[in-house]
Amino acid sequence: MKLIGNILWFFLGGIVLGLSWIIVGLLWCCTIIGIPVGIQCFKMSLLAFWPFGKEVSFSDSTTSVLLNILWIMFSGIELAVTNFVIGVLFCITIIGIPFGKQYFKMAKLSLLPFGAVIS
């Protein structure tokens, strides 16, 4: 079921979402200070391409809190709102609810990506 969900996800919006994470990561990597943020964006792009079967947990550390604040100010709100709106649109139909739930998971990660552990 994960395989079918991931394949459908990839063609129904995952490719656009993953590419948006890659573009944001490339923009962050333009500066030396932004390279750790860009690397995290590349990790999130892999999750955006294939989210089914992946679990996300969060750890609390001072570094992740500071980076999350910086992230929210510059990139997080746009990605989170986009994921949330698309998730609501997918939840209109019964068939789209699993995809909407994945978009909501990505919206949470788009808002606070640092300290997230993907397993």
Side-chain angles (χ1 to χ4, degrees), residues 5-113:
N6 279 326
I7 291 171
L8 288 173
W9 170 268
F10 185 78
F11 291 111
L12 293 175
I15 190 166
V16 174
L17 186 60
L19 289 175
S20 67
W21 276 101
I22 290 173
I23 291 168
V24 171
L26 289 172
L27 290 173
W28 275 97
C29 284
C30 289
T31 65
I32 293 174
I33 296 171
I35 290 175
V37 179
I39 291 172
Q40 186 71 10
C41 289
F42 297 143
K43 290 178 189 175
M44 291 298 151
S45 72
L46 292 176
L47 180 67
F49 284 132
W50 313 106
F52 285 93
K54 303 269 172 64
E55 295 296 324
V56 178
S57 59
F58 290 93
S59 65
D60 296 327
S61 70
T62 308
T63 307
S64 64
V65 171
L66 294 174
L67 284 173
N68 277 328
I69 291 170
L70 184 67
W71 172 260
I72 288 171
M73 289 191 313
F74 293 109
S75 301
I77 293 174
E78 296 87 3
L79 285 172
V81 169
T82 303
N83 285 319
F84 182 78
V85 169
I86 294 172
V88 168
L89 292 175
F90 267 100
C91 285
I92 291 173
T93 64
I94 293 175
I95 295 171
I97 289 174
F99 297 101
K101 289 171 73 174
Q102 297 302 319
Y103 271 107
F104 293 145
K105 178 170 65 173
M106 291 304 298
K108 183 179 177 182
L109 286 172
S110 296
L111 198 57
L112 302 169

